[in-house]
Amino acid sequence: MSLTDHDSRDGAGRWYDLFSRGTRDWLRHNEKVREAVREQLPDLVAGSDVLSRPDNRTVQVPVRFMEHARFRLRDPSEQKGAGQGQAKPGDVLRPAQPVRPGRGGQEGGGEGEGQITFVLELRIDDILDWLWDELQLPNLQPRQGSNVEADEYIREGWDRRGARSRLDRRRTMKEAIKRRTAVGEGAVPISNDDLRFRQLARRRRPTTNAAVFFLLDVSSSMDEHCRKLAKSFFFWALQGIRRQFTAVDTVFIAHTVEAWEFEEQDFFQVHGQGGTKSSSGFTRALEIMNERFDPGQYNNYLFYATDGHNFSEDRSRATDLLLQLAPAMNFLGYAEVSHQNHRRLDTEVAGIWREIALQYPSGSYSLTREQDIWPAIKAFFTDQADEAEVAS
Amino acid sequence: MTESLEDTIPRLEALAADLGLRHHPVDFEIVPPTFMMEVAVYGLPVRMPHWSFGVRWIHQMIQHRMGHSKIFEVVFPGNPNRAYLVNTNSVEENTLVVAHVLGHADFSHNNMTFARSQEQVGYHIVEQAAAHAHRIQEVIDSVGTRRVEEVLDVALALEPHIDTDQPLERPPYGRRSRDRQASERDDDPFRARYGHLPGEEPTGTGARERPQPPRIPPYPERDLLWFIAQYAPEMEDWERDIFLAVRKESYYFQPVFNCQIMNEGWASYWHSRLLREADFLPQQTYVDCMKTHSDVVRPYAGDRQVALQVNPYHLGYQIWEKLVEAEGMEAARQLMEQEDDFAFVRNHLSAEMAEELGLFVYSARQNGEIRVTESNLHELHEAILRPKFHFGAPRVYADELKSDGTLILRHDHQGDGAGLEVERARQVLDYLDRIWRRPVKLYTTDERGREICLKPGLED
C-alpha cells in the first residue's frame, strides 16, 4: 500500500487545484448554449419577456441545458421499475399529473437533465450586434446635408493628375507593369500615363445626435395585446437607433384625444380612456421638436403605434400636422398593432400614412403577433437604408 | 488524521489477506472533495474534455451543495489499484472506505468479467485515459475545439455501443481468413494436384468464378465505435484515434457497469466484516464506522420510506450476506469469480429475500402516475436488471456498408421491445453525419411497429 496526502506536501502535487476540468467543460457548455441562443435570437427577443427592464443593458434569457443525445428507447405507455420500501400492490406512489397544455408528451416524467433550465444573462449590445449580423440589417444612415455636419477630408479614389506629394507609388508601379506586359518588348519603364495620385474628397461628417419620438395611442381600444406589440417594436427600434448614434434623445408621447409627454419608465404603463385623435399626438410632437430638437442639429425619427382607428373628422388635421413633421424626420415609422382578425393596413391612420409615403421616407408595418415584430424591425431598418441611399 | 490512517491501512490489508482476499496493491490518495466530484462525474481522474461532462458536473455540484450527495469512495482497478479518499471525511469514514476499497480490489482482481476486461485494456487505465486526454488536447490545439467536439459528440454518444465479446484489438473483417484460404490453396500440393476433376478444363472455371465482394459487415456489427473507426470512408487519422480512445475507455467501464450490484455488495460485505474483525480498532472508531456503514447501505435516502430505485450497495450487501451464511465463503467466492449482475440477481435474489427487503415492482404511466403492481419474482428480477441490458443502450448495429459509402444502421427493435426515441436518434445521426461524410440511414419502428427509416437532418 501507499498513502499519498496531497494536502501535506508543499506546493507540488496539488495540480488539481490549479484548474477544474468540470468548470472548463461547464463553461464550454455555456458557450455552446450561447451560440444556440444566438441562432434563435430573433424568435427569443420577440417574446416580450426580455423587455421587462428596458433601462437595463442586459436581458435574462431562460435557456435549457444542452443535452448530449444518445440512442434511447421510446418510452412505452407504461414503464416498469423496481423500488424498495413499505408498499403493497395497488398503492399509488405518485398520482397522475394534470396535463399541462401546450407541452409535448415527451417532456413529461421526472427526467433530470433535459428539464432544468438556467438563466443566461446577455448584454443587449451583444444581442444587437448578433441580430444585425444574423438579419443582415443595414446600419441607419444619418441624414445628409444638415448644417451641423462638419467637413472632413478623406482619401478616396485615384486620378492621373495631382500633387506630387500624393503620388501613389504602389499603384503607379502596378499600372506600369500592366502596360509593359501588354506592350511587350521595348516598352518604356514608366510613362506619364502610369502615374496615379491619391485623391482627397471633401466629405461631410454627419452629426451623431439623434432624437426619437415615440407616439403611442393609449385610447381604450388599445388593449394589453396591442400595447405589448407596440412596446416590443419601440424597444427594438430604439435599441437599433442607439446602436448607431452616440447620443440619442427620446421623447415619449401618449395620446387619446389629448396628448401628454411621459418619462420612459412610465410611458408603457399609461392607460387612457375614450376616443382617438392622432392629431393631438402629432401636435405635441411638433411642439417638442420645435422646442428641443432642431432638425438641423438632430437626426430625427418618429414612430407611431396605434390600432389605426381615428376619428375621421381628424383626418385632414392629422395629415397636415404630419406633413409639417415629416420634412424634419430622417424616417417615419408607422406600426399598426391589432388582432389577427383585423384587416391589414386598411385603417383610417394607415390611409394618412400612405399620403406621407408619397413624399417622405416612411414605412408602415402591421403587427398582429409577436412573430411580426422582427420582420417589422428588419423592414424598418432596410427601408430606412434604402431611402437614405435614394436621398444621397 | 493521516497518521492514524497510515497506521490502519496496513493492518486492514493484513487482515484482509488473512481472510482470503487477493488483490493487486492499492495506492491510496487523499484528495479534496472537488476533485472527488470530478472523478465521479468523468468516471476517471483525468479524461478528455467534452461539454457533456460539464453538464453532469454542474448537476453533481448542485446535488452536493444541497447535501444530497456525498461521495465516499472511488477506486480504479489496475495494478496497482488507485483509490481516492476525501480529506473532509472523518477518520472513521475513511477507515471504512479503506476496508471497502479492499473489497473492490479483491473483486476486480478475481471476477472474470473484470479480469477479461483488464487483460484487454491493460492495468493502467488511469494513465491511459490521461494520455488520451493529453493527445486530444494536442489535436484541439492544432485543428480547433469545434472539429474535435464534432468527433467527440458522436464517439461519446456511441460509448455504450461496443461488443466486449470481441477483443479490443481486432483486425478488419475477413482479411486474415481470406489470406489464409488463399495461401492454403496455393501451397497445398494435394489441392494443387487434385483440385480439378480429371478431364475438366483447368482454367475455365477459375475465370468464370467471379468472387462476390464480401459483404461488410459480414454479420450484424454491434461495435459501432470500432466499425466506424475502421470503415468510415473519409475519416482522418486523428478522428479514428479519438474513436478508439473512447472505445478503450468504454471497454474499461463495461465490467464496472455490468457488475455494479455484485461489486458494491461485495465491497460492503467486506468492509463490514473487516471492521468487525479488526480488533486493533478502538471501540468508538468501530461504532462510528458502522454508523457510516448503515448510511451507505440503507435502502432509502433521508426520511423517506419508499424509494423508486434499488440501492445497489444495499441489495448486493444483503444477497452476499445471505449467500455466505447459507453456502459458505468458498461457494460465495466462486460465484463472485464467475458471475455478473444478471446471473447474480436472477440466481440469488429469492422471493423470500425480496419480501424481506420490501422490494416491489411499480409501473409509471405517461400521465405521471406511479403505482405498485402485482408481480412475481421473475418480473422483479427483470425490473431491476432492465436498465442494465446491453450496457444500458438500445441494440443498434451496423447492417451494411454499401459500395457508395452509405451506412445502413438497424435497431433490433424486437430484442429491445420498443422503437427508438426519434428526436434523440436523429440528433445522434446528425453527429454521425459529420464524421461519416456519406449517407447514413437508420431503420427502426414507429409507435405502431411499422418500420421507419431515419436520416440525419430531416424533419420527417
Side-chain angles (χ1 to χ4, degrees), chain B residues 116-304:
Chain B
R116 204 175 54 217
S117 149
Q118 286 184 83
E119 222 165 80
Q120 304 266 346
V121 180
Y123 293 87
H124 300 281
I125 187 64
V126 174
E127 290 81 354
Q128 284 175 352
H132 292 158
H134 184 70
R135 161 104 175 94
I136 288 172
Q137 192 52 53
E138 280 176 357
V139 180
I140 289 174
D141 293 342
S142 74
V143 307
T145 306
R146 192 172 300 267
R147 288 195 61 201
V148 173
E149 212 165 59
E150 279 178 2
V151 182
L152 281 173
D153 278 349
V154 56
L156 288 171
L158 298 179
E159 203 180 15
H161 299 271
I162 56 171
D163 183 358
T164 48
D165 292 340
Q166 301 280 348
L168 184 66
E169 302 296 339
R170 284 174 68 174
Y173 301 117
R175 181 178 291 169
R176 206 196 285 155
S177 60
R178 220 179 26 237
D179 288 354
R180 199 193 301 134
Q181 277 169 12
S183 64
E184 270 168 11
R185 210 174 298 135
D186 293 343
D187 299 347
D188 189 343
F190 178 84
R191 271 175 187 263
R193 193 158 170 196
Y194 299 107
H196 303 286
L197 291 171
E200 197 182 53
E201 291 284 324
T203 48
T205 47
R208 228 170 283 151
E209 239 177 50
R210 195 182 282 153
Q212 282 282 327
R215 184 189 163 94
I216 296 176
Y219 49 84
E221 178 56 62
R222 292 196 287 134
D223 194 335
L224 299 183
L225 285 174
W226 176 80
F227 184 79
I228 291 166
Q230 191 76 47
Y231 288 98
E234 287 178 42
M235 254 167 110
E236 293 185 33
D237 285 345
W238 64 265
E239 296 177 316
R240 294 179 207 273
D241 286 351
I242 291 180
F243 262 67
L244 295 177
V246 169
R247 178 169 171 262
K248 191 168 198 172
E249 289 172 19
S250 191
Y251 261 67
Y252 156 76
F253 286 124
Q254 194 260 354
V256 180
F257 183 81
N258 270 357
C259 301
Q260 194 207 11
I261 298 172
M262 280 180 92
N263 192 1
E264 293 301 353
W266 187 255
S268 298
Y269 171 84
W270 279 104
H271 78 230
S272 91
R273 175 140 177 219
L274 285 170
L275 295 177
R276 198 164 58 234
E277 301 194 13
D279 46 22
F280 49 86
L281 286 180
Q283 184 59 28
Q284 190 52 45
T285 306
Y286 172 70
V287 171
D288 290 342
C289 285
M290 287 326 278
K291 195 184 155 300
T292 306
H293 160 79
S294 54
D295 278 350
V296 173
V297 301
R298 73 189 159 185
Y300 344 98
D303 303 329
R304 297 169 62 188

Side-chain angles (χ1 to χ4, degrees), chain A residues 38-51:
Chain A
R38 180 179 168 169
E39 273 164 31
Q40 46 165 321
L41 210 51
D43 295 335
L44 263 174
V45 296
S48 35
D49 293 359
V50 295
L51 303 179

Side-chain angles (χ1 to χ4, degrees), chain B residues 405-452:
Chain B
T406 302
L407 172 63
I408 308 290
L409 297 173
R410 268 180 203 282
H411 169 225
D412 175 10
H413 53 85
Q414 279 186 321
D416 280 333
L420 296 177
E421 216 175 71
V422 172
E423 237 0 271
R424 288 194 173 90
R426 200 172 272 138
Q427 219 179 317
V428 175
L429 293 179
D430 280 343
Y431 296 154
L432 181 53
D433 190 47
R434 298 183 205 133
I435 292 308
W436 190 262
R437 298 174 179 126
R438 299 285 171 90
V440 180
K441 293 178 182 175
L442 166 61
Y443 290 91
T444 180
T445 59
D446 66 7
E447 289 92 337
R448 292 193 236 164
R450 293 173 307 196
E451 184 166 85
I452 51 170

Side-chain angles (χ1 to χ4, degrees), chain A residues 215-217 222 226 229-230 233-234 302-308 332-338 345 349 353 363-367 376:
Chain A
L215 258 69
L216 180 64
D217 171 7
M222 287 284 287
C226 292
L229 291 174
F233 180 75
F234 283 174
L302 183 140
F303 293 94
Y304 183 34
T306 167
D307 56 4
L332 298 94
Y334 170 59
E336 190 165 297
V337 290
S338 60
L345 296 175
V349 184
W353 226 264
S364 300
Y365 318 100
S366 165
L367 308 172

